[in-house]
Amino acid sequence: METSHSVSAIGLMSGTSLDGLDIACVQFMFHSGKLDYKFISTTTVPYPEVLKDAFKNPFNWVGSRIAQVDEIYSSFVAERILEVLSNAPDFRPKLIASHGQTLFHQPQAGFTFQLGNGSVIAAKTGIPCVSDFRSADIALGGQGAPLVPTGDELLFGAFDNCVNIGGFANCSFQENNLRKAFDMVPANFVLNSLAQKLSLPYDDGGKLAASGKLIDNLLGDLNALKFYQIQPPKSLGAEFVEQEIFPLLEKYKKHNTVDLIQTYTEHIAIQIAQNLKPGNCLISGGGTKNNFLINRIEHHAQDTELVIPFIELIDFKEALIFALLGVLRWKKMDNIFASVTGASKDHCAGTIHL
């Protein structure tokens, strides 16, 4: 890395938990081979109902429907960015880095697709936009995910483990001087859908889980799913939940919903704990606020200290790292590690829209 300079960027994260668009305005400081960051401002913007409804069942859409929703989503993103910038007149980003909203992720079939047209976002904001970070990795034989471990390595490498619990939970760690990472288990994507059966958006603090009872047979069925025996690199998408998780939960639908929630929470905790290295673990994402889940992870991973950071990093770590991925792409530096995704080589991914 070059000596002392800074780059300002906007990172956008739009996850499978569907709780909104995370926008992080960040300044990155490069100092003689070292990298640091500072949040300038952060916000989460809820999705309008038209988008939330669309995201829930894209699997039978025709092509024109995909194009229509992509335009609605891209315009929504651009408008929200302009609103953020209107409240931060001194912040002048070099670029926008957009993760997009994943509709389809099937690396084994050679494709992934995220809503979010970088050309539309760039045109409507007047700021270059880097998007489509996953496709090149899949073309190089990788999983196209997870991508956040690049930031774990460059910004949070002092931790023995990094875990993010969002729609899916993934982990990242050093092994034989290489960054390793993979998706571990569907998390809030499933918990939120169960909470919504009780007319609640999510399990606030894990209170629903705490009030339930464990369903031993369901827990056994969940932990026996073949995905958990596959060696990394590996990644998860909504398709796995639709095909594997929801049918199992349906099999036990006669049980109280809070019992399903407790059992699935225990499943998440077990899958996370058994993948952690001894030492410490920086934990982030919405699941960090689920006290019951955190307590269960600690119960199952007694050799690992969970480190919960300040609230801005909990909520915006992924948006922060996508901003970094965009900056690295702009600087023509590798931003995807083959040791993480299984691609044939490290590479510089993302499409730049001017």
Side-chain angles (χ1 to χ4, degrees):
M1 296 179 183
E2 306 133 49
T3 52
S4 296
H5 69 287
S6 66
V7 180
S8 295
I10 295 176
L12 308 177
M13 184 63 200
S14 185
T16 48
S17 55
L18 304 180
D19 51 356
L21 174 69
D22 292 338
I23 305 175
C25 298
V26 188
Q27 183 181 18
F28 294 101
M29 289 75 74
F30 295 83
H31 304 288
S32 301
K34 295 183 179 180
L35 173 62
D36 202 356
Y37 72 94
K38 179 172 69 174
F39 283 117
I40 305 301
S41 70
T42 54
T43 188
T44 297
V45 184
Y47 289 121
E49 288 302 317
V50 63
L51 283 175
K52 288 176 72 172
D53 290 344
F55 294 160
K56 290 176 183 176
N57 189 23
F59 300 108
N60 296 315
W61 289 1
V62 296
S64 59
R65 176 61 172 158
I66 294 174
Q68 178 191 39
V69 177
D70 195 20
E71 195 286 325
I72 295 170
Y73 175 82
S74 304
S75 295
F76 168 80
V77 168
E79 290 163 6
R80 300 295 83 76
I81 290 172
L82 291 174
E83 287 177 2
V84 166
L85 291 176
S86 71
N87 293 316
D90 295 330
F91 181 71
R92 296 181 177 83
K94 172 74 78 174
L95 58 92
I96 298 162
S98 172
H99 170 273
Q101 178 68 45
T102 299
L103 288 190
F104 313 109
H105 183 70
Q106 297 184 33
Q108 72 282 358
F111 69 87
T112 187
F113 178 75
Q114 288 73 40
L115 291 175
N117 187 320
S119 292
V120 171
I121 296 169
K124 294 198 171 190
T125 61
I127 302 167
C129 179
V130 185
S131 64
D132 191 19
F133 286 92
R134 301 184 186 275
S135 294
D137 188 78
I138 289 178
L140 290 168
Q143 289 286 308
L147 303 188
V148 167
T150 300
D152 291 341
E153 176 73 19
L154 297 177
L155 296 175
F156 307 107
F159 290 93
D160 298 303
N161 305 267
C162 291
V163 164
N164 190 80
I165 309 174
F168 298 88
N170 53 60
C171 64
S172 166
F173 49 84
Q174 274 270 354
E175 187 174 86
N176 299 324
N177 295 317
L178 292 173
R179 178 61 51 171
K180 300 288 187 178
F182 51 93
D183 287 341
M184 294 181 287
V185 59
N188 294 340
F189 186 80
V190 176
L191 291 180
N192 291 356
S193 72
L194 289 171
Q196 285 157 17
K197 294 181 184 297
L198 300 173
S199 300
L200 294 168
Y202 57 91
D203 184 6
D204 185 12
K207 297 183 183 71
L208 295 175
S211 71
K213 296 179 182 178
L214 195 69
I215 307 169
D216 291 321
N217 289 342
L218 172 58
L219 182 62
D221 288 347
L222 287 165
N223 288 331
L225 289 170
K226 290 181 180 179
F227 175 83
Y228 304 121
Q229 277 65 62
I230 298 172
Q231 294 300 305
K234 58 183 180 178
S235 63
L236 288 163
E239 294 90 337
F240 175 80
V241 177
E242 295 284 346
Q243 295 164 12
E244 303 285 349
I245 301 293
F246 285 160
L248 268 182
L249 296 176
E250 181 68 16
K251 179 180 171 184
Y252 290 87
K253 66 181 180 180
K254 291 183 180 179
H255 290 263
N256 291 331
T257 300
V258 291
D259 297 343
L260 295 174
I261 292 172
Q262 180 177 120
T263 304
Y264 196 81
T265 303
E266 185 75 2
H267 170 61
I268 296 169
I270 289 170
Q271 293 303 322
I272 290 175
Q274 70 183 15
N275 285 295
L276 295 181
K277 304 291 185 183
N280 60 17
C281 175
L282 177 67
I283 194 159
S284 62
T288 307
K289 301 171 186 177
N290 185 324
N291 299 325
F292 185 83
L293 173 59
I294 295 300
N295 289 339
R296 296 310 297 163
I297 297 171
E298 290 177 330
H299 171 80
H300 291 291
Q302 296 184 5
D303 293 334
T304 307
E305 176 196 3
L306 301 189
V307 179
I308 298 177
F310 60 98
I311 189 67
E312 210 164 23
L313 190 57
I314 289 173
D315 289 341
F316 295 96
K317 179 170 174 269
E318 289 191 307
L320 160 71
I321 290 178
F322 269 90
L324 175 60
L325 297 183
V327 169
L328 295 176
R329 173 65 184 93
W330 189 264
K331 294 165 72 66
K332 300 180 181 178
M333 299 171 66
D334 286 347
N335 57 7
I336 311 292
F337 297 149
S339 62
V340 169
T341 67
S344 58
K345 62 179 181 179
D346 293 350
H347 54 285
C348 182
T351 302
I352 299 175
H353 306 267
L354 300 173

